[in-house]
Amino acid sequence: GIIGIMATQKPLNFYIFGSPVTMSPSPDIHGAGFRVNGSPHRYSRFDTLDVEEVFKQLKLDDCGGGSVTIPHKESIKKYMDELTESARIIGAVNTVTKKKGQFFGDNTDWIGIKNQVEMRMGQQGRGATLCGLLCGAGGTARAAAYALKQMGATRVLIFNRTVSRAQELAAEFGFEACDDLGALTSLDHLHVVINTLPGSSEFLLPDSAASVLRRCRPVVLEAAYIPRRTAFLSQALSAGCEVVEGIEMLFEQGCAQCEIWTNKPAPRSEIAEALLQALFT
């Protein structure tokens, strides 16, 4: 029975590594996941700007791994013994698992994006030529580009304030840089829009491009979850688009981590309940 399993499993400590993480709801996600899945592990916050401190903590006997967030997603890679294909191509690790003293780096951010977008996409864009717009060129944008590739996207326009960064990302994934959002008006189809620009940036599509949202009704994902309702999310909602909130992406990538660490399907409803309680009470 479950008590027997708990007794044989050594309780380990997992952490959210990054800075600032004081407001991170990850302990709520994983506390629920471990509890419901019968794992004896604990999950807490580890706030540091120093990646060496992160590795020091990971090496402790009672540490099983953890989630990695800003500013350590890229710098933690060099400490990993093995990277998954997604972590290698995205160039960032958000999940560390320790097995027999070896460190395994994975990336579940792209799963958070892909699963939530596909759930809302239904049949449109499936099998046809999937067309997308990606705003931003940082770490989350790389995860989004990888997700779009895995979804079979054939044409993706990448917009970023620094055009050279958009061009580099586009070249790497076989997409195209877009230095003028007005160009969107010439598209026949637009199935998905992913915004990875910071929630504080007040990013909006210009009026000319916003008409494309009403005409094509793409699924729109906003990666930021603070504020919950960004200017861009409001714009997508008023155009009648199906949206994926940043909090849903956070939930989905957390469920993927839970499966890695407990070897069981994530208890989605219990995790969702814990997450909403942590954020909105």
Side-chain angles (χ1 to χ4, degrees):
I2 200 153
I3 303 299
I5 295 165
M6 298 266 300
T8 57
Q9 256 195 329
K10 181 182 163 192
L12 297 169
N13 289 310
F14 288 76
Y15 301 91
I16 169 88
F17 294 107
S19 191
V21 292
T22 41
M23 298 301 286
S24 167
S26 290
D28 302 280
I29 292 176
H30 294 294
F34 285 149
R35 188 183 73 249
V36 180
N37 279 359
S39 292
H41 310 317
R42 288 178 299 271
Y43 189 104
S44 50
R45 298 178 179 88
F46 192 91
D47 201 305
T48 181
L49 284 165
D50 183 356
V51 72
E52 285 185 19
E53 288 296 317
V54 174
F55 190 55
K56 217 188 271 181
Q57 194 69 15
L58 282 168
K59 283 192 294 191
L60 297 178
D61 276 352
D62 65 356
C63 183
S67 316
V68 183
T69 188
I70 293 162
H72 306 307
K73 285 185 183 187
E74 286 86 20
S75 54
I76 197 74
K77 276 190 307 181
K78 63 174 181 284
Y79 298 104
M80 298 296 108
D81 295 295
E82 219 173 283
L83 294 176
T84 57
E85 186 199 27
S86 60
R88 191 172 48 76
I89 293 173
I90 294 165
V93 165
N94 80 328
T95 311
V96 176
T97 310
K98 184 161 73 177
K99 292 179 211 159
K100 297 180 178 161
Q102 298 274 91
F103 294 99
F104 296 86
D106 203 343
N107 187 303
T108 64
D109 282 331
W110 73 275
I111 300 171
I113 294 167
K114 179 177 183 279
N115 289 0
Q116 286 286 334
V117 169
E118 284 186 338
M119 263 182 233
R120 288 169 178 79
M121 235 160 128
Q123 291 315 302
Q124 60 145 344
R126 293 280 178 95
T129 50
L130 180 63
C131 181
L133 167 67
L134 172 55
C135 301
T140 309
R142 293 185 65 85
Y146 185 84
L148 287 161
K149 261 289 191 246
Q150 298 299 312
M151 287 164 67
T154 45
R155 186 176 185 202
V156 175
L157 303 177
I158 303 180
F159 171 79
N160 191 58
R161 292 188 182 160
T162 313
V163 179
S164 60
R165 291 191 67 197
Q167 287 165 338
E168 284 163 23
L169 186 56
E172 204 175 323
F173 283 90
F175 297 149
E176 58 200 84
C178 158
D179 52 5
D180 172 25
L181 288 167
L184 293 176
T185 50
S186 64
L187 292 177
D188 292 333
H189 303 285
L190 183 60
H191 304 105
V192 56
V193 177
I194 298 174
N195 181 36
T196 68
L197 297 166
S200 57
S201 70
E202 294 290 308
F203 171 73
L204 276 174
L205 290 180
D207 290 343
S208 60
S211 65
V212 178
L213 295 181
R214 285 188 294 279
R215 180 167 60 84
C216 298
R217 297 283 167 91
V219 174
V220 173
L221 181 140
E222 167 62 86
Y225 63 92
I226 297 167
R228 187 176 179 186
R229 182 72 46 95
T230 60
F232 178 65
L233 200 60
S234 299
Q235 187 179 41
L237 285 165
S238 62
C241 296
E242 284 256 27
V243 302
V244 179
E245 294 184 46
I247 201 66
E248 294 170 294
M249 177 188 155
L250 179 76
F251 164 75
E252 196 68 45
Q253 65 80 28
C255 287
Q257 290 181 325
C258 177
E259 294 194 13
I260 291 168
W261 293 331
T262 66
N263 284 312
K264 289 180 190 174
R268 294 175 71 92
S269 60
E270 289 91 344
I271 289 176
E273 201 178 322
L275 181 57
L276 290 172
Q277 207 169 356
L279 287 166
F280 305 118
T281 54

